[in-house]
Amino acid sequence: MDFSQPEEQRELAALTRKILTGLTPQRLREAEAGPDRFDPVLWAALGSAGVLAATLPAAAGGDGLGLLAQCAVLTELGRAVAPVPYLPSIVLGAGALARFGSGAQQRRWARPAAHGELILTAALAEEDGDDPAAPATRAEPDRAGGWRLTGVKTTVPAAPQAGLMLVPAAAPEGVRVFLVSPADGGVTIERQRLSSGESAGRVVLDAVPASPDRVLGADRVPGADEVPGADGVAGGAAAAEWLVSAAIVGLCALQAGVTERALELTAEYARARTQFGKPIGGFQAVAQRLADAHVDVAAIRLTMWQAAWRLSEGLPCG
C-alpha cells in the first residue's frame, strides 16, 4: 500500500512553508504583543497565494484538495506557530459551509473566507456544558418563523476578528447549527487570552434573532448519501459532530507541527552545545531523551493522519 501524500498536497505544504519564511521573529513578537495575536500581512499572503482556497471545494471558491491537505497546511503553520486563524476560519467555518451549507450561504460567506476577505469561526465550547455536540445553548422558535438563541460560548477562537460564527444550539427537534454575526442584536463578545497566547472570545447570546436562512444548510437539497434533517435540510447534529471532530483533528495537526519543529530545534542544540569537550548529544542520557521524543513525535503524526483520513472518509475517528 502507498501511504505517501499526493503530489498536490506536498506542493501546498511546501508553498505554505515558503510563505512562512517571511514570518520573522520580529513580526512574530509584534503579533504576539497585539490584542489578537494576528498577522494580517501573513494572512493576506496566504490568501493571495491560494493557500486558503486550495483545500475547499469549487462551490466554496476552492480547488477541492480536502481535509488531508488542510492538515498538511496546519502542520506547517504549527511548525512556525503562525499567528493566523486558519483552523477556525478555513477548516471549521468555510469547511462546514462547504460541506453542509446551501449555495447562497457558500457564496455569501465561504467564498470571501477562501480569499482571506472574511474571518469565520465556530463557537463550540459551552460555558455551561462539557459536550460541544450536545450544546447547552438553546434555540427557541419565534413568531416570525425564525429563532432566538440564548446561551454562552467560551474560548471561541478568533471571535474578536470574526465576521461570522457557526453556533450549534439545541432546538426543540434537535441540534442545529446557526450562522451568527457579531453585529446581530443580543450578541456580546468579551476578549479572552488563552494560555497559548491565542486570541479567543466569550460569546454571550441573549435572545439573538436568527432568520430561517441563518440555519446551516437552509434551502439545501441533501445528497443521496446524506441524512436530511426534520425540515429537509442536512442534519444539524451531523454538522455539529463534524465540527467537533474537525476541530480536534485540526488541533492535533497544529500540535504535530509544533512538536516536530521543537524536536528539530532540540536536536540542533544538542549538536551545537558542548560540555566536557564534546556535544551534549553524544551523552547517552541526552541521546535517549531525544530518541524517546522522536518516537513520541512520530506517534503524534501517525495518529493524527489516521484520524484525519478516517474523518475525510466519513468513518468514526474518535
Side-chain angles (χ1 to χ4, degrees), residues 82-283:
V84 290
Y86 183 86
L87 174 56
S89 188
I90 300 301
V91 180
L92 302 183
L97 286 165
R99 185 179 181 89
F100 300 99
S102 66
Q105 291 169 343
Q106 292 171 2
R107 289 188 295 272
R108 183 175 178 183
W109 291 296
R111 284 180 174 269
H115 296 94
E117 300 165 0
L118 177 69
I119 292 176
L120 310 176
T121 190
L124 301 179
E126 298 276 351
E127 188 165 88
D128 298 317
D130 54 8
D131 184 358
T137 298
R138 307 295 302 178
E140 299 293 340
D142 65 17
R143 293 180 180 179
W147 307 84
R148 293 280 173 171
L149 309 180
T150 301
V152 181
K153 302 283 189 174
T154 189
T155 61
V156 179
Q161 306 142 267
L164 185 77
M165 300 178 288
L166 278 67
V167 180
E173 74 280 5
V175 175
R176 289 177 175 270
V177 177
F178 294 86
L179 309 179
V180 176
S181 167
D184 290 339
V187 177
T188 303
I189 299 177
E190 304 168 4
R191 260 195 177 84
Q192 294 175 308
R193 193 68 178 250
L194 307 185
S195 58
S196 63
E198 299 292 335
S199 171
R202 179 177 181 265
V203 179
V204 179
L205 307 170
D206 184 8
V208 176
S211 56
D213 63 346
R214 289 291 194 91
V215 179
L216 183 64
D219 301 324
R220 178 177 182 269
V221 178
D225 60 341
E226 295 176 325
V227 179
D231 59 357
V233 300
E241 290 172 2
W242 182 88
L243 279 167
V244 173
S245 295
I248 296 172
V249 167
L251 286 170
C252 291
L254 279 171
Q255 195 62 18
V258 169
T259 55
E260 182 180 86
R261 183 58 182 147
L263 178 61
E264 292 173 0
L265 292 170
T266 305
E268 291 169 9
Y269 180 79
R271 285 192 294 268
R273 173 75 163 86
T274 58
Q275 188 70 38
F276 305 113
K278 60 184 294 187
I280 62 173
F283 296 107

Side-chain angles (χ1 to χ4, degrees), residues 73-88:
V73 172
L74 286 166
T75 300
E76 294 300 325
L77 296 175
R79 286 177 58 88
V81 289
V84 290
Y86 183 86
L87 174 56

Side-chain angles (χ1 to χ4, degrees), residues 278-305:
K278 60 184 294 187
I280 62 173
F283 296 107
Q284 186 178 28
V286 176
Q288 287 176 339
R289 292 289 296 275
L290 284 168
D292 288 342
H294 175 79
V295 172
D296 290 340
V297 171
I300 292 171
R301 184 188 306 115
L302 293 171
T303 306
M304 180 275 291
W305 281 119

Side-chain angles (χ1 to χ4, degrees), residues 48-86:
S48 61
V51 172
L52 302 183
T55 60
L56 299 172
D63 301 317
L65 297 187
L67 178 66
L68 294 179
Q70 289 175 345
C71 288
V73 172
L74 286 166
T75 300
E76 294 300 325
L77 296 175
R79 286 177 58 88
V81 289
V84 290
Y86 183 86

